[in-house]
Amino acid sequence: SGTALYNSVQLIGPAGERLANYRKTHLFGPFETACFTPGDDLVVQADLDGVRLGLLICYDVEFPEAVRAHALAGTELLLAPTALMRPYEIVPRTIIPARAWESQLYLAYANRCGAEGEFDFAGMSCLAAPDGTVRARAGAAEELILADVDTDFLKASRAENSYLADRRPRLYTSLV
């Protein structure tokens, strides 16, 4: 691992302490697979102000299994920094709210915006709630958005929407 290069994110607490470090597990396309080594730990979490936070990066969140693994491990707010390019705006518009709904958690999707070289980043950062609504959404340009994560609402949503409790894992063995 001394020569390996990872696409990573680190969660820093309010006093500057390192709370968690995550290495991207699902690499996208020939550029990333040529430059980076995939991480091996899918669920990386930390607690901050009474909220269980989880980390994924970009393409990772497009895999329902990755988000579900976080939900099953107790993640309440999943943080996903990303560099999503055009024309894949379906991800923040549709996939992110669906992932929050199907896995019953909050999902903060923080995307780059603007052009860099051949890439045109889509923006559209958002916070999706466990009821599938988008609590805050940025446009295509640089923007600060704010929204609350309500753990009481999350508990009520999980009680009403029983996806996690109604799973039948023994039927899914062909997935692995």
Side-chain angles (χ1 to χ4, degrees):
S1 178
T3 60
L5 182 63
Y6 298 91
N7 182 342
S8 301
V9 62
Q10 193 163 88
L11 179 64
I12 306 296
E17 70 278 23
R18 295 176 182 175
L19 299 178
N21 185 69
Y22 172 74
R23 294 173 170 171
K24 186 175 183 181
T25 54
H26 298 83
L27 302 178
F28 178 77
F31 171 78
E32 283 193 352
T33 55
C35 294
F36 300 112
T37 299
D40 291 324
D41 297 321
L42 183 60
V43 177
V44 173
Q45 298 172 308
D47 292 317
L48 181 63
D49 291 335
V51 178
R52 173 62 52 107
L53 306 175
L55 300 169
L56 290 178
I57 297 174
C58 198
Y59 191 49
D60 290 328
V61 80
E62 296 179 41
F63 291 83
E65 301 88 350
V67 178
R68 181 57 56 87
H70 270 275
L72 293 173
T75 295
E76 296 170 307
L77 171 59
L78 184 56
L79 308 172
T82 184
L84 180 85
M85 301 161 288
R86 297 183 191 283
Y88 303 109
E89 294 91 342
I90 189 172
V91 175
R93 277 193 202 119
T94 304
I95 302 298
I96 297 305
R99 292 285 174 270
W101 164 260
E102 70 194 6
S103 284
Q104 287 296 288
L105 45 67
Y106 283 93
L107 207 166
Y109 188 78
N111 194 25
R112 289 185 66 179
C113 60
E116 182 179 326
E118 65 187 85
F119 303 114
D120 184 15
F121 298 99
M124 300 179 66
S125 296
C126 63
L127 176 69
D131 63 354
T133 62
V134 175
R135 299 294 174 92
R137 168 151 343 259
E142 195 171 308
E143 187 174 346
L144 175 65
I145 58 173
L146 300 172
D148 289 327
V149 170
D150 181 345
T151 54
D152 288 335
F153 178 80
L154 175 60
K155 287 177 187 135
S157 184
R158 285 180 174 174
E160 182 178 323
N161 181 337
S162 56
Y163 281 139
L164 299 178
D166 293 344
R167 292 171 53 255
R168 297 182 61 202
R170 68 176 178 77
L171 299 178
Y172 316 142
T173 57
S174 65
L175 295 177
V176 291

